[in-house]
Amino acid sequence: DALIKRLLQDCSSLKLADLKTQDIQSLYDGWTENGTKKQAMGHSLITMLRGLVNFGMAGLADDQCERLAMVLHNMHFPMVKSRSERLTVEQAKSICREANKMGRASIALAQAFQFDCMLRQKDVIGEWVPHSEPVDSDVMDAKNNNNKWLRGIRWEEIDHDLILTHTTSKGQKEIVVDLKPAKMVIQQLMLAYGAVARSKMPPSGPVIVSETSRLPWYAVEFRRNWRVA
């Protein structure tokens, strides 16, 4: 939603027929001024622009979108370099402590799962997608266009021996993780439920749930609160 809002802000006055390679390059250059964070945003906006143009070509049979799809296909935009630094154990523990102090135990638990189980953020907190996406979900956000939640860890994926079995969002690979040696996860479960007995925990549903909405976190809000911690 944020990317489309930005595209509307910057591009809605432009006609498709007038857009040429240099116009798209100028948009990208404006989006990527002043540093790496801007470069990441520029790359995300170009990806969204490609998606919109491809939809116009395939879904609307628009001639100008077909032309622009070819223009974009022939353009190259540098990828953002991956971060080389990793959180240390002490940093992860510190984030958990601060999140708990903030009343955001869900963020502490998410951080523990990410660090101890070496999971991507999307695999821990999941992802909200439009209702129209052709994937079934039993978690809906009625207040936000009936968005549905997918891909995050769920309580029913943790058995009575505290073995987590989860299909990853990247590559759709099934991973099996024994949570008992995961010290940070166990500590957060103890704080939340007073014990690590599986029977004390919810039987099903998303593991990481926002304290305010009682629904899984939206990624933008999760990251904002995580950065505060």
Side-chain angles (χ1 to χ4, degrees), residues 5 23 45 55 122 128 131 136 144 167 186 199 227:
K5 184 177 180 181
D23 301 307
L45 286 164
F55 170 74
K122 186 184 292 187
W128 286 100
H131 179 65
D136 291 333
N144 199 342
T167 301
I186 295 300
S199 59
R227 283 194 294 269

Side-chain angles (χ1 to χ4, degrees), residues 214-228:
R214 307 312 306 168
L215 290 169
W217 286 92
Y218 279 82
V220 171
E221 277 300 299
F222 178 86
R223 286 194 288 267
R224 184 178 68 80
N225 281 269
W226 182 89
R227 283 194 294 269
V228 173

Side-chain angles (χ1 to χ4, degrees), residues 173-197:
K173 296 179 181 178
E174 184 177 88
I175 59 167
V176 179
V177 182
D178 186 352
L179 298 179
K180 292 187 290 295
K183 294 181 179 180
M184 274 186 274
V185 172
I186 295 300
Q187 182 181 25
Q188 295 306 316
L189 291 174
M190 282 286 293
L191 288 172
Y193 302 104
V196 290

